[in-house]
Amino acid sequence: MEKTITLNNGVTMPTLGFGVFQVPDSEQCETVVREALRQGYRLIDTAAAYLNEEAVGRAIKASGIPREEIFVTTKLWVQDASYAGAQRAIDRSLSRLGLDYLDLYLIHQPLGDVYGAWRAMEEAYHAGKVRAIGVSNFEPDRVQDLMMHNSVKPAVDQIQVNPLAPQTAAVDWLLANDIRPEAWGPFAEGKTGLFTNPVLVQLADKYHKTTAQIMLRWLNQRGVVVIPKSVTPARIAGNTDFYDITLTAAEVAQIAALALPDSQFGNSHDPENVKQLGSWTLDI
Ligand SMILES: NC(=O)c1ccc[n+]([C@@H]2O[C@H](COP(=O)([O-])OP(=O)(O)OC[C@H]3O[C@@H](n4cnc5c(N)ncnc54)[C@H](OP(=O)(O)O)[C@@H]3O)[C@@H](O)[C@H]2O)c1
């Protein structure tokens, strides 16, 4: 993929973004988002649940980059997954970010009254408060059901995709349905020593890249938007530099073969997990 793609509603989206999960410290978040914008990132991925929308908003303002050149994504937390909840949550996110529109608004989890939430999101979309709406952590069957019973089709599904969880079937299904897959945890947060995995190290040596860059290009070549997170300036810069290599089909398959049977981030089908996420209430 090139540096931008067109979503199913005609909106242009960068194929590389900067994620700010687990950067709760406000000053640090503002600093790293400013650094990311300085290094050329033009998509910032936050969420109401990350508790750093205000810092992201300050960094955008301080960057001096025209608003229309930055693609801002935020997400609806489970406690607001209802019609009235989503209406309120969108306005609150806009106010914390200091923006008058969002580029992409996602339902963070397939939990709660997501149908009510989607109707409020459709209204916000038609009112111009949000340029595109989508989902996150929805498996294809849930996306299919949402599409069938509503009028606006999700533009994006943000799901975990990385060498330990290649998500081949889900990515193929989303692409075939013109819904853009976006990878959270593109490095699986380095779990199982992924940054020093021998397969990735060998490819990094071959292409004179880092293992992080190999993982990003692997996702990008498969049509998946990436939003790596880092608070380290050298990594923030390095994670932008992957567009100039092309992995062979055999290498793409070799990386996909690193898949593990279980997610490194818990089992979303476990009722205990659902209970935990569904009762996690935040002051937002
Ligand atoms: N929708 C969802 O449910 C969901 C869930 C999780 C994440 N997300 C989104 O996806 C974004 C990315 O996922 P993530 O933050 O979970 O994990 P990630 O991007 O896979 O990994 C981040 C980790 O990798 C390290 N790292 C980054 N670049 C590196 C490099 N070049 N070399 C070595 N280490 C490197 C970072 O360390 P340092 O920071 O110390 O440099 C950090 O520990 C999030 O920030 C968030 O926006 C969404």
Side-chain angles (χ1 to χ4, degrees), residues 18-22 45-46 50 75 108-109 136-137 158 183-190 195 210 212 227-232 235 239 265:
F18 184 69
V20 294
F21 180 41
Q22 297 173 132
D45 184 86
T46 183
Y50 301 169
K75 314 186 191 84
H108 204 144
Q109 298 286 345
S136 178
N137 298 303
Q158 186 181 116
W184 68 253
F187 308 135
E189 296 181 1
F195 289 111
T210 65
I227 45 170
K229 171 264 177 185
S230 177
V231 295
T232 314
R235 293 174 178 169
N239 291 347
F265 296 89

Side-chain angles (χ1 to χ4, degrees), residues 46-183:
T46 183
Y50 301 169
L51 306 177
N52 56 18
E53 290 173 308
E54 283 169 353
V56 169
R58 286 198 306 274
I60 290 171
K61 211 148 271 155
S63 74
I65 298 167
R67 167 69 186 95
E68 63 275 13
E69 289 178 22
I70 305 178
F71 189 101
V72 182
T73 304
T74 192
K75 314 186 191 84
L76 175 80
W77 187 240
V78 185
Q79 73 197 58
D80 291 319
S82 64
Y83 178 73
Q87 282 183 319
R88 195 175 49 234
I90 292 168
D91 287 343
R92 287 191 178 164
S93 281
L94 282 170
S95 144
R96 282 191 294 265
L97 284 158
L99 300 176
D100 51 15
Y101 69 89
L102 299 168
D103 294 280
L104 179 63
Y105 194 64
L106 304 176
I107 299 182
H108 204 144
Q109 298 286 345
L111 304 172
D113 176 14
V114 294
Y115 289 82
W118 193 256
R119 281 193 294 279
M121 288 164 65
E122 287 182 333
E123 286 176 14
Y125 173 65
H126 292 307
K129 284 187 188 181
V130 184
R131 294 176 69 228
I133 56 177
V135 294
S136 178
N137 298 303
F138 277 49
E139 296 190 11
D141 65 306
R142 295 295 84 219
V143 182
Q144 179 64 56
D145 191 57
L146 190 74
M147 278 197 302
M148 281 176 73
H149 302 289
N150 291 287
S151 56
V152 179
K153 179 174 168 171
V156 168
D157 188 4
Q158 186 181 116
I159 54 177
Q160 185 206 159
V161 198
N162 52 57
L164 306 178
Q167 300 267 26
T168 308
V171 166
D172 288 352
W173 184 88
L174 289 166
L175 290 172
N177 283 276
D178 199 14
I179 298 167
R180 184 57 53 178
E182 183 178 36

